[in-house]
Amino acid sequence: MRINQCEMTYMYRVMNFMRIDIGLTKLKHNQTEDIKYLFSNDFSGYSTILYGEGEYARNYMRTGQVSGIPIIFVPGSAGSSKQVRSLGSILHNKTESRNLPFTFDVFAIDFNEELSGLSGMYLGRQIKYLDLVVRHIWTMYSPPPHGIIFVGHSMGGIVIRSLLHNIHFDLSRIAFIVTLGTPHKNAPMVFDCYLQNIYDRMHENWREHEKELASLLVLSVSGGLKDHLVPEHFTLDNGVRHISTTAVDGIELETDHLCIVWCNQLLRYISRLMVGYAYDPISFQKHADNVVKQLFDADGLLRELTRMKAGTSTAIVIRNELIFVKNSGENLKEFVLSFPKNSWLFIERSIGSSLWTSSGEPIYNLNNLRQTFYTLVHSNVTEQISLHLKPGKFFKAVALQEDPAKFNSVVHIELLSLLRGCFTFLWKADFEERESVVLLPVYFGIPVVAIVISIELESCKRTNG
C-alpha cells in the first residue's frame, strides 16, 4: 500500500458556511436550444454558501456585504460545498495574518451531492444554476470586480467550462480557472448520450471562442498515479495549461481524487497564485503564463514545452540492458533513443530534462516513486524518442520486451487491469522488511501508466493451471 504523503489542511478557527440567497424567483435562465429535461430548471435542491472564519465572518454577518476578490468553488460528482473549507481557510489565514490590503470572498456551490459523473442530465442543470449564481454574485459588488476566480473539482471543472453554453455569458467575468482532477478531454466513463453531448458542446464552444479565450488562464492540476478515477491523460485538453502534482518543485507527490482538494502542499501553491492575482489583476492577466511558470515550473516541467535546439545529437539504441548517460558538458544535449517494437521504454531521469516523439510532440508523463522520477513509453506510441538533457543532468534507460503469450489473460480489479503471469521487475525495494514493491507497466491505450503493487513473493513460476 502506498502511503499518502499529503498533509491535511486544518482549520484553527470556527468555520462558517453562510448561505447566500441568489433570488431564483427574480432570475430567469435564458432558454436556448438546450435539450429540455423534465427537471432542468428545478434548482430547489441547490444552494450557495460563503465561507468565512474569524474577523471576516463576523464582518459579513454584521454587514451582509462583500468587497474582496470573489472566488467560486464548484464541487464534482457527489461533492459538497464544504470541500471549500481547506482552500478558504488558507486564504483567510494568509490575508489576516499578513495584514494584506485585500481579502478573498470564497463562495461555494452545493449540488446536493448529485452524481454528475454518471449522467449529463445533472450536469445540464448544474451549468444553468452556476450561470445564475455568477450573475447574482456579480451584482453583490459595487464597483464590479475585475473578475471571478473559478475553482472546480472533478466534474465541477466541466460545469465551469460549460458556462459558454449560454451565448449571453460574459467571458470578461472570468479572471482565471483552476481545476483539480478534472477530466477535460472526455469523461473516463460515459453512461448516457447527455453526458457526451455536454462534452461535445463544451469543446465546440471553446473552439468557436478560441481567439477570445487565448488570454484566459485555465490551469488543470492532476494528481498522478494515485488518482484512479481520472487518469492524467484525461486532464489534458487544447487551451488548458496542465501540471501534475508529481512534477512541481516543492510538492512532488501524488494525490488521490479526493485529497487533491485538501492537500496542504498543493493548496499553498494555488493560494500564492490567487494572491499574485489580487495584488494586480490587470498585470496578472497580461502575464499569466509567466506567473504560472514561476510558481509551478521551477524545473522546466510545465506541460506546454518549447523544444530547444541542442548543440549536439547522439543516437542510442536501447535494449534490455540498462544504460546510464550523463551530460558532462556545458551545453544542452539531445539524445535520440530508439527501442524495439512490442516493448516498453523505461527512463529514469533528472528533472532538468524533456522528452519528445519523433514527430515533435512532447511526452508529458513524469511520475515519481521514492524520490525517483521516471517515464514509461510503449512502442505503440513511438519507437523513437528525443531526450533533451541539461548540463550536469543524467538519465537511465532500459527496454523491456513484451511476451505476447503472457497477454492472453486479463483480470479486472475495480478500475485497474492487471496482467496475470510473470513479469520482469523494473526494480524492487523492501518495505518494512517484508514486502517488495514492483513497478508493473500496464497499457490502457494512450498514454502509458504504471501501477505499483505490493506483494510478498519476489518471484513466480508460470503454471499450466
Side-chain angles (χ1 to χ4, degrees):
M1 182 177 180
R2 304 182 71 179
I3 300 174
N4 190 339
Q5 296 178 318
C6 276
E7 297 175 1
M8 174 64 74
T9 301
Y10 294 99
M11 289 89 240
Y12 294 98
R13 295 178 294 184
V14 176
M15 298 178 290
N16 293 276
F17 300 94
M18 299 166 285
R19 187 153 183 157
I20 303 296
D21 182 10
I22 68 167
L24 289 175
T25 57
K26 298 179 182 179
L27 292 172
K28 301 294 183 182
H29 189 276
N30 293 323
Q31 295 294 335
T32 63
E33 68 279 5
D34 292 349
I35 299 175
K36 303 298 188 298
Y37 312 124
L38 295 177
F39 57 90
S40 62
N41 293 313
D42 179 12
F43 307 126
S44 58
Y46 296 167
S47 60
T48 304
I49 62 100
L50 174 65
Y51 180 83
E53 295 179 6
E55 188 63 26
Y56 174 89
R58 288 190 289 271
N59 286 339
Y60 178 78
M61 288 186 283
R62 184 174 61 252
T63 65
Q65 296 181 349
V66 290
S67 59
I69 309 296
I71 299 173
I72 298 180
F73 172 79
V74 184
S77 182
S80 167
S81 60
K82 294 182 178 179
Q83 290 175 299
V84 78
R85 63 187 182 272
S86 298
L87 177 62
S89 183
I90 287 178
L91 291 173
H92 284 315
N93 282 325
K94 184 169 289 189
T95 53
E96 288 189 23
S97 63
R98 299 181 183 181
N99 197 26
L100 297 181
F102 49 79
T103 58
F104 291 97
D105 303 320
V106 186
F107 299 90
I109 311 296
D110 197 301
F111 293 130
N112 200 24
E113 299 185 4
E114 284 182 340
L115 299 175
S116 56
L118 301 182
S119 175
M121 292 190 290
Y122 291 126
L123 276 179
R125 181 167 64 177
Q126 292 178 6
I127 294 166
K128 292 181 180 181
Y129 180 76
L130 178 60
D131 184 23
L132 296 177
V133 171
V134 171
R135 285 195 277 162
H136 177 76
I137 289 178
W138 197 261
T139 64
M140 295 174 65
Y141 291 84
S142 181
H146 288 284
I148 300 174
I149 301 172
F150 288 86
V151 180
H153 174 234
S154 191
M155 298 303 291
I158 302 303
V159 175
I160 295 170
R161 290 187 64 194
S162 297
L163 284 172
L164 271 65
H165 283 10
N166 182 357
I167 59 176
H168 301 292
F169 182 79
D170 187 356
L171 284 173
S172 65
R173 294 183 177 181
I174 303 178
F176 62 91
I177 301 171
V178 177
T179 64
L180 308 172
T182 292
H184 289 283
K185 184 170 292 185
N186 209 342
M189 293 185 180
V190 179
F191 294 96
D192 60 25
C193 62
Y194 306 112
L195 184 58
Q196 189 60 54
N197 288 340
I198 293 290
Y199 270 91
D200 291 343
R201 288 197 60 190
M202 180 188 74
H203 290 136
E204 180 182 354
N205 287 329
W206 278 67
R207 284 192 297 269
E208 291 177 355
H209 295 83
E210 184 177 1
K211 291 183 179 180
E212 301 97 308
L213 294 168
S215 59
L216 175 64
L217 172 63
V218 182
L219 185 64
S220 172
V221 183
S222 62
L225 297 180
K226 276 191 175 180
D227 192 339
H228 302 310
L229 293 180
V230 181
E232 184 170 285
H233 61 283
F234 281 98
T235 63
L236 305 172
D237 198 13
N238 294 329
V240 172
R241 302 293 299 272
H242 174 266
I243 60 171
S244 172
T245 56
T246 63
V248 178
D249 186 26
I251 302 178
E252 297 175 0
L253 49 80
E254 296 169 344
T255 65
D256 62 45
H257 196 62
L258 292 180
C259 85
I260 197 171
V261 177
W262 53 257
C263 181
N264 190 266
Q265 295 96 317
L266 171 62
L267 291 184
R268 291 196 176 278
Y269 270 77
I270 293 176
S271 70
R272 293 169 195 167
L273 185 69
M274 295 176 175
V275 169
Y277 169 83
Y279 270 116
D280 191 345
I282 297 176
S283 176
F284 178 95
Q285 291 178 327
K286 289 181 179 179
H287 308 288
D289 285 350
N290 291 333
V291 175
V292 171
K293 190 169 184 177
Q294 290 175 3
L295 278 176
F296 297 98
D297 191 31
D299 294 299
L301 291 170
L302 198 65
R303 298 306 180 164
E304 289 190 4
L305 301 173
T306 301
R307 189 168 186 174
M308 298 177 289
K309 291 186 177 180
T312 60
S313 178
T314 304
I316 302 176
V317 178
I318 308 297
R319 302 194 185 279
N320 60 353
E321 293 184 0
L322 184 69
I323 67 166
F324 174 86
V325 177
K326 182 177 181 179
N327 183 0
S328 301
E330 298 180 354
N331 300 315
L332 181 77
K333 288 187 178 181
E334 179 182 21
F335 297 89
V336 179
L337 311 181
S338 302
F339 58 107
K341 292 183 179 179
N342 300 321
S343 66
W344 301 81
L345 177 64
F346 167 73
I347 303 176
E348 178 186 336
R349 58 191 176 106
S350 304
I351 293 182
S353 61
S354 59
L355 292 178
W356 305 81
T357 65
S358 56
S359 60
E361 295 295 323
I363 297 176
Y364 294 130
N365 52 317
L366 179 69
N367 303 290
N368 74 310
L369 177 64
R370 303 187 71 183
Q371 299 182 345
T372 299
F373 290 90
Y374 64 89
T375 299
L376 279 167
V377 182
H378 193 268
S379 57
N380 285 359
V381 179
T382 180
E383 294 178 21
Q384 193 175 77
I385 285 179
S386 174
L387 188 149
H388 288 191
L389 204 60
K390 293 181 179 179
K393 303 301 181 179
F394 73 92
F395 74 90
K396 299 177 184 178
V398 64
L400 301 177
Q401 196 76 18
E402 287 179 350
D403 183 355
K406 298 176 183 177
F407 281 72
N408 57 6
S409 180
V410 177
V411 180
H412 293 279
I413 302 177
E414 295 180 350
L415 297 179
L416 305 180
S417 297
L418 306 181
L419 301 177
R420 187 174 64 191
C422 300
F423 304 95
T424 303
F425 290 1
L426 297 185
W427 74 68
K428 59 184 179 181
D430 290 334
F431 271 12
E432 299 177 357
E433 299 182 353
R434 63 183 180 85
E435 290 185 335
S436 293
V437 176
V438 181
L439 192 66
L440 170 66
V442 179
Y443 191 64
F444 285 96
I446 295 177
V448 171
V449 298
I451 300 171
V452 175
I453 306 171
S454 294
I455 62 174
E456 294 186 359
L457 297 177
E458 294 187 1
S459 63
C460 62
K461 294 183 179 180
R462 189 174 180 84
T463 64
N464 295 326

